[in-house]
Amino acid sequence: AYHMPAVLRLQGELDREALQRSLDEILARHEALRTVFVRNEAGDPVQRILPVQPFALAYHDLSQLAEAEKEQARASLTEETLHRPFDLTQDILIRASLAKLDEQDHVLNLCMHHIVSDGWSMGVLTREVAALYEAFSQGQENENPLPALPIQYVDYAQWQRQWLSGERLKEQVAFWKQELTGAPSLLELPTDHPRPQVQSFAGSMVLFDLDEGITQGLNALARRHGATLFMVLQAAWAVLLGRLSGQDDIVIGTPVANRRRSELEGLIGFFVNTLALRTRIDPKQTVGELLGQVREETLEAFNHQDTPFEQVVEVVQPERSLSHGPLFQVMLVLQNAPQTAFELPGLSLNQRVLDRGAEQFDLSVSLEQCSDESLKGLVSYSTELFERETVKRWLGYWQCLLHSMIENEMQSVGALAWVPEAELEQVTRGFNATQAPYPKE
């Protein structure tokens, strides 16, 4: 459930030696990728950094196989690379395999473990591999194009422990205790299947888009209320979750990059933190009043983003269960980590959108702004709880709510339309078409 995979189709003249050397350099450069987690004599987990070693790039030449066998072998290799569990006590926590389909066609499978990486780190990895591959493939053997890293992850960990202590830690922890005490431990969405006693983290995903028109409307609404696009999306998401669950106290999780110092921007490592954003919904509020409330609460949460989520859980002490996560079960993400197009000289690249088959939460919505101002998104969901059609229908409800908010921000939250016209017609008229013939005499 915590693997971070990528699959790249490389078409063109691949310099395998340059790729190998690039990955060797990445592994040597970032201590986090060589970090394992073992127990000390007291039984506590500690970090141990393994010595520099060559990157174990598994190479498989499939070019001599028949097409059907080739595709089967490629799929099996991708599955093994991306889904084989890591042993956190001894494995290098990044792995890759390269499949040769023919002289001009390769597939590169990459997987990092979330414990030493995050979404921002994926961008760092692709930028650095591209820069190194370009240098090594052009014969610049002794010219590393990357500047030396000023610090490593252990330096950050030590600094964080020193900085987040004493009065600063007390103030941060006190905020979260006050903010989240009394929040419902479970968002009771109407599931298609009974919630299992223990999560398996099995999941799937649905892709969707918010077109340029609705995105422009959301941005304009945000500007009128001194809010951000994320805040508008969050407010509408909270309203939807409230209507589906019948609850008026909604907690939504969202990640923050947590790289607030320039020295951290070029590091691969787990810096991301998770904030639990609580929204109390009053159906009598106007849309504008709800946005003002969400704005203030979100800014306060971001001002206290330094407390690690696990410490927030410890201080709030919510009811714990193996059947769901603590504090929240639904996420909302608006991606704004720096993304660079992954380009390698002499190669055209195509990156597949992967269905990981895993999800840590009941629902997790992730959106990313496109160059044409539209938003592309995906919702991951627990297949133990929901059917695909249910999730797609709920996405339609959310878009209907967004349209309704844009059209009239002075209307009350309780009056916002959320069911598309076709479904409303089906429920109120189609399902109630009870006419039947009977003997008139």
Side-chain angles (χ1 to χ4, degrees):
Y2 288 89
H3 287 190
M4 302 187 66
V7 176
L8 296 163
R9 191 76 175 258
L10 310 174
Q11 294 179 303
E13 196 70 40
L14 175 67
D15 185 335
R16 188 153 60 93
E17 183 181 347
L19 178 61
Q20 176 69 58
R21 289 196 58 200
S22 301
L23 294 172
D24 289 347
E25 182 64 32
I26 295 287
L27 193 58
R29 179 176 170 80
H30 294 277
E31 289 181 356
L33 296 176
R34 293 182 281 113
T35 299
V36 294
F37 302 86
V38 296
R39 295 192 182 276
N40 60 18
E41 293 178 358
D44 298 320
V46 293
Q47 297 180 54
R48 177 175 296 160
I49 300 169
L50 300 178
V52 174
Q53 56 191 281
F55 190 103
L57 176 61
Y59 175 68
H60 298 260
D61 188 347
L62 310 179
S63 59
Q64 302 306 311
L65 299 177
E67 283 305 314
E69 291 180 278
K70 184 185 297 185
E71 177 55 27
Q72 185 177 10
R74 183 210 61 75
S76 296
L77 180 62
T78 297
E79 174 74 16
E80 195 277 339
T81 305
L82 304 187
H83 294 132
R84 173 167 47 91
F86 287 96
D87 182 343
L88 302 185
T89 66
Q90 61 182 14
D91 289 348
I92 295 290
L93 297 180
I94 180 173
R95 72 165 72 103
S97 62
L98 181 67
K100 178 182 177 181
L101 305 183
D102 62 44
E103 290 298 330
Q104 299 286 314
D105 196 1
H106 294 76
V107 174
L108 177 64
N109 306 299
L110 271 169
C111 187
M112 289 193 287
H113 197 285
H114 215 335
I115 199 169
V116 295
S117 184
D118 54 22
W120 186 297
S121 297
M122 292 295 276
V124 174
L125 176 70
T126 55
R127 284 197 306 275
E128 294 195 348
V129 168
L132 291 165
Y133 180 88
E134 182 175 9
F136 295 147
S137 65
Q138 294 177 1
Q140 300 171 18
E141 301 294 329
N142 301 314
E143 295 183 29
N144 186 333
L146 301 175
L149 292 171
I151 61 172
Q152 291 287 343
Y153 189 87
V154 290
D155 301 309
Y156 162 75
Q158 185 177 9
W159 169 82
Q160 183 199 45
R161 188 169 295 182
Q162 293 171 345
W163 182 83
L164 195 60
S165 61
E167 289 303 314
R168 186 179 284 112
L169 178 61
K170 284 182 183 177
E171 190 270 333
Q172 291 250 340
V173 165
F175 167 80
W176 288 112
K177 186 170 185 178
Q178 179 180 351
E179 178 67 14
L180 296 174
T181 295
S185 59
L186 178 64
L187 180 64
E188 298 182 16
L189 294 171
T191 60
D192 295 313
H193 309 286
R195 185 179 294 275
Q197 291 186 335
V198 179
Q199 281 178 287
S200 75
F201 301 108
S204 189
M205 70 180 191
V206 173
L207 300 175
F208 68 98
D209 295 292
L210 297 179
D211 62 36
E212 184 179 351
I214 190 171
T215 305
Q216 288 178 347
L218 293 172
N219 278 312
L221 177 61
R223 285 193 297 271
R224 288 196 296 274
H225 293 274
T228 63
L229 175 60
F230 172 79
M231 294 170 186
V232 176
L233 294 168
Q234 180 205 339
W237 189 227
V239 170
L240 174 62
L241 296 173
R243 292 194 178 180
L244 291 170
S245 66
Q247 295 167 266
D248 59 8
D249 194 350
I250 307 297
V251 183
I252 298 170
T254 195
V256 287
N258 204 27
R259 296 180 185 239
R260 300 208 280 176
R261 296 180 65 95
S262 59
E263 302 96 318
L264 307 180
E265 292 180 3
L267 279 178
I268 292 174
F270 184 85
F271 295 91
V272 70
N273 195 17
T274 305
L275 306 184
L277 304 177
R278 186 178 185 181
T279 304
R280 298 166 182 83
I281 299 168
D282 179 355
K284 296 177 183 176
Q285 279 182 310
T286 66
V287 170
E289 288 170 340
L290 174 63
L291 289 177
Q293 172 193 320
V294 166
R295 176 183 181 276
E296 295 307 312
E297 291 170 345
T298 304
L299 289 174
E300 274 297 296
F302 274 71
N303 283 336
H304 296 85
Q305 67 175 272
D306 299 302
T307 311
F309 178 71
E310 59 270 22
Q311 289 191 26
V312 174
V313 174
E314 286 175 13
V315 71
V316 176
Q317 296 185 327
E319 178 185 334
R320 300 302 297 269
S321 171
L322 294 175
S323 68
H324 61 79
L327 296 181
F328 62 86
Q329 294 80 44
V330 174
M331 290 277 282
L332 177 64
V333 186
L334 182 59
Q335 298 284 5
N336 63 353
Q339 298 294 329
T340 304
F342 192 18
E343 297 177 350
L344 300 179
L347 292 164
S348 64
L349 274 68
N350 180 31
Q351 184 164 357
R352 286 172 49 198
V353 177
L354 289 173
D355 189 337
R356 299 187 305 127
E359 176 52 43
Q360 298 99 321
F361 305 99
D362 293 1
L363 288 171
S364 183
V365 175
S366 180
L367 295 125
E368 183 177 349
Q369 193 120 19
C370 305
S371 56
D372 63 356
E373 298 303 311
S374 64
L375 287 168
K376 65 178 180 180
L378 66 85
V379 54
S380 303
Y381 61 96
S382 166
T383 51
E384 292 182 308
L385 300 178
F386 303 111
E387 292 293 329
R388 185 179 186 84
E389 288 307 310
T390 297
V391 175
K392 290 171 73 173
R393 190 169 70 252
W394 289 0
L395 280 171
Y397 294 165
W398 190 38
Q399 294 192 41
C400 193
L401 269 173
L402 291 170
H403 276 291
S404 189
M405 289 172 65
I406 292 169
E407 288 170 2
N408 184 2
E409 63 204 72
M410 298 309 296
Q411 66 184 316
S412 68
V413 170
L416 287 169
W418 67 305
V419 178
E421 285 294 329
E423 185 173 339
L424 195 62
E425 177 72 17
Q426 181 186 38
V427 171
T428 58
R429 295 185 183 276
F431 290 164
N432 288 303
T434 56
Q435 300 92 338
Y438 65 96
K440 300 284 193 298
E441 65 278 3

